[in-house]
Amino acid sequence: MKTLLTTAELDVFCQEARRHPYVTIDTEFLRERTYYSKLCLIQMAFAGEGEENAVLIDPIEGDVSLEPLYDLFRDTSVVKVFHAARQDLEIFFFDGAVLPTPLFDTQVAAMVCGFGEQVGYETLVKKICKDQVDKSSRFTDWSRRPLTDAQKSYALADVTHLRQIYEYLDAQLKKSGRRKWVEEEIETLLSPETYVVRPEDAWKRVKTRTQSGKFMAVVQKLAEFREAYAQERNVPRSRVYKDDALLELASTKPRNEKDLGRSRLLLREARKGEIAEGILAAVSAGMAVEPEDAPKPDRSREKLQVNPALADLLRVLLKAKAEESGVAQKMIASSADLDAISAGERDLPALRGWRAEVFGDTALKMCDGGIALAAKGGKVRIVAL
């Protein structure tokens, strides 16, 4: 197996990859001690057998600029194939401000092709390649050097099997005419908005039990400071303070470091210095916000007048349509979506695009009384009224 350690070597491989219709790509990274993922290894392969056309790129041990790879990402004549691409793409987006096009995600394609919910790579290797993946190196520290032969073999297998998986799924999509379905899903992965986290919006991820204006204003300012601090220092947000400490601070509203010292949940290192100053400034800023200007959680779904009987019928219809189409249920609609449809909501992904074709149009007919469901043996039949 070949490991590339220089930019020139990577450029040669990428130039060769451009002569092929697709290239498979995967990464190994660490994120436990940083805000942004630390890239430890890149694996790539283009069409062929075995490991002959596959390489490892080592950004830690080598002196490698990834610009040749990013140029390949911009080459629209070559399909870039990943499995469960989101975290890999996030790394490349923040490092090189680039996203690979065209993109093919085998996890998305597999769900469209009837392999179930969030299907794992090992499952596809077993079902499509009739092989097994050695999992022994999965949870190793990929930042340590030298890499063992076992680690290298494990990493390379992530892209060599992926060639056969891609070719199989691509053929299935051509046969079924569902390529457009996958392209619709991949649009989200290719949107920069998928990867940008704005500190001013960080409060939306914090689960609260109250809608008090002052409380929510302080939560917003504390979450904004934590996110900005974590991004600037490249540390996990939990290393600044965890959500339970944030909510405690929003309740107690400390005015000085002495007040911070009384916190039960705040980390010791957050009770003084820059973090303490940031906390006190955030609390002060939150207290200055007028109640009517405070952020308000989206409670619209909680106010929906759900029709339980109709929601249950929609669940039965979804199951029947998912089985009929061979598409994972959760990919078509969530349980919350079904409740929303039963309550009269119509601006939902489940009612647009390919989902409307598979499920949404029929669901609306049921809501309007145009169809009914009947059971025959183990099958659910749709009956026009």
Side-chain angles (χ1 to χ4, degrees), residues 322-334:
E323 290 176 354
E324 176 187 308
S325 62
V327 179
Q329 289 187 52
K330 287 184 179 179
M331 193 173 186
I332 301 172
S334 67

Side-chain angles (χ1 to χ4, degrees), residues 50-202:
E51 298 180 355
E52 182 179 349
N53 299 327
V55 296
L56 304 175
I57 300 105
D58 192 337
I60 293 179
E61 196 166 61
D63 181 16
V64 185
S65 165
L66 297 183
E67 272 309 309
L69 175 60
Y70 296 150
D71 285 340
L72 178 61
F73 280 2
R74 298 182 188 101
D75 187 339
T76 57
S77 69
V78 183
V79 178
K80 274 65 74 172
V81 182
F82 292 77
H83 180 82
R86 192 188 187 287
Q87 288 186 298
D88 300 316
L89 299 190
E90 183 180 350
I91 293 171
F92 296 130
F93 176 76
F94 283 113
D95 181 75
V98 63
L99 292 168
T101 53
L103 171 70
F104 189 98
D105 189 321
T106 55
Q107 185 178 70
V108 173
M111 287 193 287
V112 168
C113 291
F115 283 86
E117 318 273 353
Q118 300 293 318
V119 60
Y121 181 70
E122 294 83 2
T123 300
L124 295 182
V125 170
K126 184 177 181 180
K127 291 187 175 182
I128 296 175
C129 305
K130 311 302 180 186
D131 204 347
Q132 299 284 341
V133 174
D134 180 2
K135 303 178 184 178
S136 60
S137 297
R138 174 185 289 180
F139 298 111
T140 57
D141 184 348
W142 290 99
S143 67
R144 298 187 64 179
R145 295 297 183 272
L147 296 173
T148 66
D149 288 342
Q151 284 178 299
K152 292 179 180 180
S153 294
Y154 169 86
L156 215 56
D158 280 349
V159 289
T160 52
H161 289 307
L162 196 54
R163 296 176 297 199
Q164 185 176 348
I165 292 170
Y166 165 67
E167 291 176 3
Y168 176 87
L169 293 174
D170 186 50
Q172 290 294 108
L173 292 172
K174 288 178 181 176
K175 183 178 178 181
S176 65
R178 295 178 178 179
R179 178 183 294 277
K180 182 63 176 176
W181 297 10
V182 174
E183 290 173 355
E184 284 185 31
E185 297 306 299
I186 285 176
E187 286 178 6
T188 300
L189 292 173
L190 292 177
S191 170
E193 288 299 310
T194 300
Y195 310 99
V196 174
V197 178
R198 294 180 175 81
E200 61 269 25
D201 294 329

Side-chain angles (χ1 to χ4, degrees), residues 303-314:
K303 298 176 182 178
L304 291 176
Q305 298 298 310
V306 176
N307 182 328
L310 180 54
D312 286 343
L313 286 173
L314 288 169

Side-chain angles (χ1 to χ4, degrees), residues 221-222 225 254-255 275-287:
K221 297 300 182 181
L222 286 169
F225 163 70
R255 296 174 179 272
I275 297 179
E277 292 172 5
I279 290 173
L280 296 175
V283 171
S284 177
M287 292 295 291

Side-chain angles (χ1 to χ4, degrees), residues 214 217-219 221-222 225 241 246 249-256 260 276-289:
K214 287 293 183 185
V218 176
V219 166
K221 297 300 182 181
L222 286 169
F225 163 70
Y241 42 82
L246 186 155
L249 293 168
S251 296
T252 58
K253 301 175 180 60
R255 296 174 179 272
N256 49 51
L260 289 179
E277 292 172 5
I279 290 173
L280 296 175
V283 171
S284 177
M287 292 295 291
V289 173

Side-chain angles (χ1 to χ4, degrees), residues 297-372:
D298 183 5
R299 307 289 189 187
S300 57
R301 286 285 179 100
E302 296 177 7
K303 298 176 182 178
L304 291 176
Q305 298 298 310
V306 176
N307 182 328
L310 180 54
D312 286 343
L313 286 173
L314 288 169
R315 285 172 172 77
V316 176
L317 177 65
L318 175 61
K319 185 175 187 300
K321 283 294 188 177
E323 290 176 354
E324 176 187 308
S325 62
V327 179
Q329 289 187 52
K330 287 184 179 179
M331 193 173 186
I332 301 172
S334 67
S335 181
D337 289 336
L338 301 181
D339 287 342
I341 293 171
S342 77
E345 287 287 307
R346 295 296 179 260
D347 185 17
L348 298 164
L351 303 177
R352 297 193 295 266
W354 67 267
R355 291 177 174 86
E357 178 185 342
V358 173
F359 167 75
D361 291 344
T362 308
L364 292 179
K365 288 180 181 178
M366 173 177 283
C367 294
D368 293 338
I371 64 169

